[in-house]
Amino acid sequence: ASGGLEREATGAGLTSLRQLSFRLDRRLETVCSAQLTGELDDCFCDVESIDVFNNFKVYPRIKKLTEKDYFRYYRVILTRPCPFWPDDGHCSIKDCHVEPCPESQVPVGIKSGNYNKYSQAANSMADVAECEQAKELGAINSTLSNRSKEAFADWARHDDAQDHFCELDDETSPDAEYVDLLLNPERYTGYKGPSAWRVWNSIYEENCFKWPRSVYRPLNPLAPGRGDDDGESFYKWLEGLCLEKRVFYRLISGLHSSINIHLCAEHLLDEGWGRSVWGPNLQEFRQRFDTGETKGEGTRRLKNLYFLFLIELRALYKVVPYFERAIVNLYTGNSREDGATKELLLELLSEIQAFPMHFDERSMFAGHKMEAKTLKEEFRLHFKNISRIMDCVGCSKCRLWGKLQQIQGLGTALKILFSEKEIQKLPEHSRSKGFQLTRQEIVALINAFGRLSTSIYQLHNFRLLLEEKR
């Protein structure tokens, strides 16, 4: 249905698009009777406009983009032990398993040694540059003590880390493996219970700027006497925080909501005789988002999903100048495929530029200079700690998509939002030392945004199912 309206809507303005949307989903049917309409908190945008923009303009394009070779292969370490508590062991359910991709099947331009390169020129010049650098460093290092060499190495690592909001996997590690994301889709695996709750609890309560012990996150399964006040004390406390701390909580909540929608939309419905049937599970969806079953919490969760969508949308808007440069050609070794991928990416970014209601990140960290700097660093360190918690996820497939979306995808979006000046200074025909994105960051950024776009698109499908049910 959306495909036909997409063709009809080509070139149309936002107003006419909204009219078309109402034909498909006339009253923007309330999700499980929850009023998911109107403006979102902490920004000037409404749910209806995002629905129309995403379902007609973004989703069809980003779905095609994430199927391209450049974006389907992701290098990740899934075997690191949990650094915070004794490891529960990996989930033994077969759907938790991730099938790594043999390097022989990975496009030549993506394979080991080229994982931080994004252009053919960068690959062909890599060996020469590394050789010249080795000669220069050799001449300098001969005059340095071992202690000084280690200090310089530590400084370099520290400087590199200042741009990152997450702990990145070492792509050169022998434990790092390529994964074909299309062959390992995000869907329901059966991983749940105390192990999964402990991970989410740690992410929320140990990292969201430490709320008081007397305040409990709504519907927290590990909280004593949970739900006694329908979460009102929590939200009163949250409203008293500064914008940055509210944003941090809403990003995590929005990501949690997005993941839950994926699990509900791709649920195991039937299994037998060597085949599995996957599809939407309305009961699971209502359990997580129905306003009655969640005491109104479902609506807040979904609004946080839309809020996160706007944050990552803004990051893509900001990074357009980076991708518009001729030097960035999303190199896989197949020139025709690479050209089509770059064209599709720029087409998506052009649509994003045309969207009139972006989140204004300038309102964040805008107070006293030293206080803003301290708060930004605290924000970054909290987020980096969450990236370490991902190694405590017992389900390999959950760990894969958590690392891609929650760690590197969102982390790259935050890196972009706080690098506006560096992006504006980018040279047209050479790499800049002020701002860079590795291939891993680009792949994670686009796939993470694609997951959010898919979540919002799936919400429309659940609305239709709920209407049929009624």
Side-chain angles (χ1 to χ4, degrees):
S2 65
L5 286 176
E6 160 70 15
R7 290 190 294 274
E8 187 177 342
T10 301
L14 190 62
T15 302
S16 57
L17 277 174
R18 184 176 292 146
Q19 292 169 350
L20 288 168
S21 174
F22 286 143
R23 285 171 48 195
L24 183 62
D25 191 6
R26 189 178 174 204
R27 292 178 292 135
L28 271 167
E29 194 66 37
T30 57
V31 178
C32 297
S33 303
Q35 292 296 322
L36 186 63
T37 59
E39 285 192 1
L40 300 170
D41 299 330
D42 295 322
C43 57
F44 299 99
C45 189
D46 58 90
V47 168
E48 292 87 346
S49 297
I50 298 173
D51 276 335
V52 174
F53 173 64
N54 177 72
N55 295 346
F56 291 103
K57 293 294 186 180
V58 172
Y59 176 73
R61 290 172 173 84
I62 202 159
K63 185 176 184 296
K64 291 180 184 176
L65 191 61
T66 52
E67 292 171 354
K68 294 290 187 180
D69 281 354
Y70 187 88
F71 292 104
R72 68 183 288 181
Y73 297 102
Y74 183 65
R75 194 164 172 84
V76 64
I77 300 175
L78 297 174
T79 55
R80 277 203 305 230
C82 175
F84 297 109
W85 55 76
D87 204 330
D88 294 330
H90 284 271
C91 173
S92 59
I93 303 172
K94 66 180 180 64
D95 293 317
C96 288
H97 177 67
V98 169
E99 189 64 41
C101 184
E103 287 202 18
S104 60
Q105 297 180 15
V106 179
V108 63
I110 296 176
K111 289 183 182 181
S112 295
N114 296 331
Y115 45 79
N116 278 345
K117 318 294 193 303
Y118 48 73
S119 70
Q120 186 171 5
N123 281 282
S124 61
M125 294 290 288
D127 292 339
V128 175
E130 287 170 6
C131 183
E132 290 177 353
Q133 185 182 40
K135 290 179 181 178
E136 293 176 7
L137 290 175
I140 295 172
N141 286 347
S142 63
T143 66
L144 297 176
S145 67
N146 287 333
R147 181 176 296 179
S148 296
K149 292 176 187 177
E150 291 173 2
F152 280 129
D154 287 341
W155 292 340
R157 283 194 293 268
H158 176 76
D159 290 342
D160 289 341
Q162 296 312 295
D163 287 336
H164 294 123
F165 282 76
C166 56
E167 279 294 315
L168 304 177
D169 283 346
D170 179 6
E171 300 162 48
T172 63
S173 168
D175 295 326
E177 296 179 297
Y178 286 106
V179 174
D180 185 336
L181 298 174
L182 296 185
L183 297 182
N184 294 275
E186 183 183 25
R187 59 192 182 192
Y188 181 79
T189 65
Y191 176 65
K192 57 185 177 181
S195 178
W197 293 338
R198 179 162 58 172
V199 170
W200 277 112
N201 222 44
S202 182
I203 289 173
Y204 277 111
E205 297 188 3
E206 293 182 19
N207 292 280
C208 290
F209 297 93
K210 297 287 186 184
W211 49 66
R213 293 194 177 195
S214 58
V215 174
Y216 294 103
R217 179 170 55 89
L219 305 182
N220 175 6
L222 301 184
R226 56 186 181 273
D228 291 344
D229 64 353
D230 295 343
E232 288 307 312
S233 62
F234 173 83
Y235 286 107
K236 286 178 181 177
W237 170 81
L238 192 66
E239 285 303 310
L241 299 181
C242 64
L243 172 65
E244 291 83 358
K245 294 182 179 181
R246 289 201 308 273
V247 164
F248 191 94
Y249 171 79
R250 299 191 70 189
L251 294 180
I252 301 304
S253 173
L255 198 51
H256 197 176
S257 298
S258 179
I259 290 170
N260 276 329
I261 290 172
H262 301 152
L263 304 187
C264 295
E266 293 290 334
H267 203 277
L268 183 59
L269 302 179
D270 189 28
E271 186 175 25
W273 299 101
R275 71 182 187 95
S276 300
V277 178
W278 302 86
N281 187 316
L282 193 56
Q283 182 179 351
E284 286 285 338
F285 180 79
R286 296 190 66 160
Q287 183 180 331
R288 290 169 167 84
F289 299 105
D290 183 278
T291 188
E293 295 193 31
T294 64
K295 300 183 179 180
E297 179 66 13
T299 307
R300 286 182 166 121
R301 291 173 175 176
L302 292 174
K303 284 194 172 185
N304 289 339
L305 162 67
Y306 282 83
F307 181 78
L308 175 59
F309 177 87
L310 285 177
I311 292 289
E312 295 200 12
L313 183 78
R314 182 61 169 174
L316 288 171
Y317 174 88
K318 289 286 186 181
V319 84
V320 169
Y322 181 89
F323 288 112
E324 285 181 332
R325 298 177 304 154
I327 190 176
V328 180
N329 67 2
L330 309 180
Y331 179 67
T332 68
N334 183 332
S335 58
R336 179 176 294 181
E337 174 80 4
D338 296 348
T341 302
K342 176 72 177 289
E343 183 179 350
L344 187 56
L345 175 62
L346 293 179
E347 182 183 318
L348 171 66
L349 295 177
S350 177
E351 292 291 350
I352 289 173
Q353 284 183 304
F355 185 65
M357 288 176 275
H358 282 277
F359 177 80
D360 186 1
E361 76 286 352
R362 290 174 298 179
S363 59
M364 294 178 63
F365 311 110
H368 186 275
K369 190 172 182 180
M370 285 305 297
E371 290 179 359
K373 184 177 180 180
T374 300
L375 191 57
K376 180 179 176 181
E377 179 63 8
E378 188 180 0
F379 196 95
R380 189 179 69 84
L381 292 176
H382 276 298
F383 198 83
K384 289 193 77 168
N385 199 37
I386 289 178
S387 67
R388 299 185 186 101
I389 294 175
M390 280 297 104
D391 287 318
C392 299
V393 177
C395 167
S396 294
K397 188 169 288 183
C398 306
R399 186 182 293 203
L400 163 67
W401 286 100
K403 280 175 174 277
L404 186 146
Q405 296 174 81
Q406 187 156 330
I407 306 310
Q408 202 158 24
L410 181 52
T412 301
L414 293 173
K415 171 182 172 178
I416 292 167
L417 287 178
F418 298 116
S419 302
E420 182 175 15
K421 292 180 180 178
E422 290 78 5
I423 294 173
Q424 290 174 347
K425 296 176 182 177
L426 287 170
E428 174 62 31
H429 300 292
S430 64
R431 302 182 72 184
S432 166
K433 294 182 179 180
F435 178 84
Q436 289 295 338
L437 292 177
T438 67
R439 179 188 169 273
Q440 283 285 100
E441 288 176 313
I442 295 171
V443 170
L445 176 71
I446 296 300
N447 273 284
F449 184 68
R451 296 280 76 203
L452 297 177
S453 176
T454 302
S455 293
I456 292 175
Y457 183 81
Q458 290 290 0
L459 278 179
H460 168 74
N461 293 334
F462 277 113
R463 289 189 188 108
L464 296 180
L465 289 174
L466 288 166
E467 185 63 20
E468 284 181 21
K469 189 82 171 176
R470 280 194 285 269

